[in-house]
Amino acid sequence: MVAALLVHELLLSATLQLVGQHSSIVFGQEDSGPRLSATCGTGAPGIALVTPTEVDVSIPGNITVHFKNVATSCNNVPSSTPCVHDYDAFPALFWCRFSGATGDAVTGPFKASTELVEKHGVQLGLRVLMDCPQPSIAEVIAASGYTGDGSTKHLNLTVAYGPSVSDATTIPLDGPGTNRVAFVNLPHPPSQPPAAPPPSPSHPPGSPPPRIPPPASPATWGPAVLYSSPSSWNGHWDTAQDFCQTQGMDICPYEELCPGGRTVDSTLGQLSSDQWVAVTNQLGNKDFVQIGTRTSPRDDCCTVTDDSCHGGQGSEYEGWGSQRSYNAHIVCC
């Protein structure tokens, strides 16, 4: 009787240890019996740091996000929880956002990956990483408010997880590192043309009159400037023109923004997402032109009214409406 009580007490105080992330207790048959499992709290997903924290805008590359508390597998993980997908058919759900003083540059979606951590030949576990493409020079200028003074500009890199940018949940910075990235070697504006020479003195009496110079050629357009569209932007061509005029400029002619024509990058380069901006087309009508990655890279500098590009919309196109994912910028000349 005493022995039975001792055994009973030992059973009451026993500890059952499950080893492994997906361990469980199965009652009955493996494939059909009840299953008891438990998970350990690991904290909310966060960004530990990003590398590198300084990039040269003239050298394209990636910025790597180092995550913490992001599941290394999506097995048995809720669909809204950030995780590393185990097979190629699963959609990419991570979005990169570079935020600055005057706007954002968003790219994606992407997939995260795992990397084995080893030290002295001992496998310590898996880390979760993701590469965010470095934003273009035009996107850095638009998001940072760079004025052409040669200064270094900084953008904060955050990541969101979800089926679209608007439905994604932000994964915040959770140290010990930083998510602030410095962009160096931004271009200076072109130098000013030399001043006109002083007028010639009056010709002496009896001498032939001086030659009258030909009329000056019409003024050329200034360089195209990329702006993040303001919150009041409704996606219409007329509203873009109103915005440019508040900057002392106008909507760019197609030839100024795309001197190389169809399939050649614009003078602003290629933005890192599907982006259309308002222009005046070659007929002098309202139009929108692709300066992003739609069917990259062969749709560069195609217009909405071009039959071979966007199905044709007549000879004039007023605008996309408020779909900011497609027209998040305004370009003025």
Side-chain angles (χ1 to χ4, degrees):
M1 182 64 179
V2 173
L5 288 174
L6 289 174
V7 172
H8 178 70
E9 291 297 327
L10 288 172
L11 289 175
L12 288 176
S13 62
T15 300
L16 177 63
Q17 183 177 6
L18 302 181
V19 179
Q21 184 177 1
H22 303 296
S23 298
S24 61
I25 302 172
V26 179
F27 300 88
Q29 297 295 324
E30 170 69 23
D31 56 350
S32 61
R35 184 182 298 269
L36 176 64
S37 62
T39 58
C40 299
T42 57
I47 296 175
L49 72 158
V50 303
T51 55
T53 55
E54 181 177 292
V55 295
D56 186 331
V57 296
S58 65
I59 305 173
N62 294 322
I63 298 173
T64 302
V65 179
H66 301 250
F67 291 109
K68 60 186 297 186
N69 300 329
V70 170
T72 58
S73 169
C74 291
N75 292 335
N76 302 321
V77 173
S79 61
S80 60
T81 300
C83 56
V84 179
H85 307 307
D86 304 301
Y87 51 96
D88 293 339
F90 206 95
L93 295 174
F94 287 90
W95 303 83
C96 302
R97 181 187 299 272
F98 292 86
S99 302
T102 56
D104 298 332
V106 180
T107 57
F110 305 108
K111 292 184 178 182
S113 61
T114 57
E115 181 180 270
L116 182 63
V117 181
E118 290 187 86
K119 188 172 183 179
H120 306 306
V122 178
Q123 296 182 357
L124 303 179
L126 297 173
R127 64 164 62 100
V128 179
L129 309 170
M130 187 182 71
D131 286 337
C132 290
Q134 179 181 318
S136 68
I137 293 176
E139 288 172 319
V140 173
I141 291 173
S144 67
Y146 177 69
T147 58
D149 58 358
S151 62
T152 296
K153 304 305 291 186
H154 294 84
L155 300 178
N156 291 328
L157 171 56
T158 57
V159 175
Y161 184 84
S164 67
V165 175
S166 59
D167 295 328
T169 301
T170 299
I171 302 174
L173 176 68
D174 191 15
T178 181
N179 65 338
R180 193 166 186 252
V181 182
F183 293 86
V184 302
N185 201 25
L186 286 162
H188 290 271
S191 58
Q192 297 295 322
S200 301
S202 300
H203 64 283
S207 64
R211 177 179 176 272
I212 300 175
S217 59
T220 57
W221 291 86
V225 179
L226 182 75
Y227 294 93
S228 290
S229 56
S231 58
S232 59
W233 165 242
N234 63 3
H236 291 285
W237 193 98
D238 291 338
T239 310
Q241 171 70 336
D242 292 341
F243 173 82
C244 287
Q245 289 182 344
T246 65
Q247 309 300 317
M249 293 181 281
D250 287 293
I251 291 290
C252 296
Y254 175 85
E255 296 86 350
E256 180 67 26
L257 190 58
C258 295
R262 176 77 184 275
T263 76
V264 178
D265 282 355
S266 75
T267 56
L268 295 173
Q270 186 185 59
L271 303 190
S272 57
S273 60
D274 184 355
Q275 289 292 313
W276 300 83
V277 296
V279 292
T280 302
N281 65 23
Q282 292 156 308
L283 298 176
N285 295 333
K286 301 172 184 178
D287 211 336
F288 278 69
V289 66
Q290 172 68 213
I291 60 171
T293 57
R294 182 178 184 270
T295 317
S296 176
R298 293 303 93 202
D299 278 341
D300 297 345
C301 280
C302 72
T303 61
V304 172
T305 59
D306 184 343
D307 289 341
S308 62
C309 172
H310 206 271
Q313 299 288 337
S315 62
E316 187 169 84
Y317 190 69
E318 292 280 351
W320 283 97
S322 57
Q323 298 184 41
R324 293 180 67 87
S325 59
Y326 295 113
N327 54 12
H329 299 89
I330 297 175
V331 177
C332 306
C333 288

